[in-house]
Amino acid sequence: MPWYPIAAEASIKEETLDVAPVRLTVAPVPNLADADVPKAADLDLWTWDQYELKSDVAAKLGLTVGGSGNATYKSRVLVAEFSRSKSIMRPEGQLRYGTAARLIVKVSNFEAGANLTLPFIAAEAQFNRLEASAALRIEGYVGASAAKQLPKFGSFDVESYVKLMDALNALTESIGADVDNIRPVRLWTWAEADDSGKAVDDRLTSAVGTMWALTQIAEGKPVAEALARYRDEDDTVAQDAIQATYNHIVNSDEAPGGQARARAKELLDGYKARHGFLF
């Protein structure tokens, strides 16, 4: 998605995050006297959206659950939100001001390839097949009635998911119609990315993924095992390179045959990849 949300607590420090396909700049909150903050009635962009973030990115954006910014190796943050906003051009980039209701769900200890949608997560959490926690946030809205719409719940499961979604839908009506109680805040920031450094990193990462795939083919491992055993499961560039190498040499989900293994060994030229080593 071309926009990334900014939470109030994430706007205190200046920092740049290189997140494809854009560069996210978390800058100090500008002087409201100088910024052309739109009025509530001027918020002309209405959006209902759902997106997924890596936990380290979500933590830097302030999109955490339970007040903790810690990101585990295998965790994700899913956000479902309704927003009403307006874009403003500023020297630091393009900003969006407005109001939003955000359901934030952090999920961890899930199986590789799991269907990370909110209904699936709620069902799996209910049977203790993964860990999930949630928070519902309202930004840029001061109407007292919002407090009555927040559900009381403990763990994130199917029942609490239904309550949270009902509350989120109810809040969309409040922040969408109650203009008198809307106080626009900065929700997102966006700037063009300089992809020169990233392009080099991607090529190097792709080379590592290719080397890993060739080693696994030479050892007769099927593609599913090669992908699962690659240390960084979140590295889509390397994962794509592994899949592409298998498609080129093996062209099957089955274990590589003798011809494919011989071809991989020939390309490796006596080298092979191991976690943390190149022999």
Side-chain angles (χ1 to χ4, degrees):
M1 57 179 290
W3 295 88
Y4 284 86
I6 300 296
E9 59 267 33
S11 301
I12 298 173
K13 128 184 202 189
E14 187 166 353
E15 184 173 359
T16 297
L17 304 174
D18 290 319
V19 182
V22 298
R23 184 179 64 209
L24 169 69
T25 302
V26 182
V29 177
N31 188 330
L32 294 183
D34 298 331
D36 299 323
V37 180
K39 304 296 183 183
D42 297 329
L43 305 178
D44 55 1
L45 181 61
W46 303 63
T47 305
W48 174 265
D49 202 1
Q50 296 188 51
Y51 50 92
E52 177 185 328
L53 298 171
K54 291 184 179 180
S55 291
D56 57 343
V57 175
K60 290 176 181 178
L61 295 174
L63 293 177
T64 56
V65 177
S68 172
N70 296 329
T72 61
Y73 169 69
K74 194 172 184 180
S75 60
R76 290 287 189 279
V77 172
L78 284 82
V79 183
E81 70 176 31
F82 167 81
S83 66
R84 182 180 175 185
S85 63
K86 185 176 182 63
S87 298
I88 300 294
M89 292 302 301
R90 298 290 296 164
E92 61 267 35
Q94 194 172 10
L95 310 179
R96 279 189 186 175
Y97 285 88
T99 179
R102 287 170 171 159
L103 171 59
I104 304 166
V105 178
K106 181 179 179 180
V107 57
S108 56
N109 296 331
F110 51 87
E111 295 292 332
N115 175 21
L116 293 185
T117 60
L118 290 177
F120 175 83
I121 292 170
E124 293 293 285
Q126 184 155 327
F127 292 101
N128 298 316
R129 288 194 283 261
L130 51 74
E131 298 176 12
S133 53
L136 185 58
R137 297 184 185 176
I138 309 167
E139 301 180 41
Y141 181 73
V142 298
S145 62
K148 299 178 182 179
Q149 298 169 358
L150 296 176
K152 297 179 181 179
F153 70 98
S155 59
F156 186 73
D157 54 21
V158 173
E159 182 179 359
S160 61
Y161 165 69
V162 172
K163 292 180 180 178
L164 283 165
M165 291 304 295
D166 287 344
L168 188 60
N169 289 328
L171 286 167
T172 62
E173 298 182 10
S174 297
I175 68 176
D178 190 5
V179 177
D180 292 339
N181 284 310
I182 292 177
R183 305 291 186 271
V185 298
R186 185 167 59 149
L187 299 175
W188 298 274
T189 185
W190 182 85
E192 294 291 345
D194 178 4
D195 290 333
S196 57
K198 179 180 179 300
V200 173
D201 289 345
D202 282 356
R203 288 198 297 271
L204 295 174
T205 301
S206 181
V208 172
T210 301
M211 183 74 174
W212 173 257
L214 289 172
T215 300
Q216 297 300 295
I217 293 172
E219 294 181 356
K221 307 295 185 183
V223 63
E225 185 173 343
L227 291 169
R229 294 183 63 210
Y230 190 76
R231 178 171 295 177
D232 190 350
E233 297 178 358
D234 298 333
D235 191 337
T236 57
V237 174
Q239 297 279 340
D240 289 346
I242 294 169
Q243 184 67 64
T245 304
Y246 266 82
N247 291 344
H248 179 69
I249 297 179
V250 183
N251 197 26
S252 169
D253 292 337
E254 303 296 328
Q259 185 175 355
R261 296 179 65 180
R263 176 60 175 157
K265 290 178 181 179
E266 178 185 354
L267 292 170
L268 285 168
D269 195 23
Y271 292 93
K272 59 182 178 179
R274 287 288 183 272
H275 284 308
F277 298 97
L278 181 65
F279 294 95

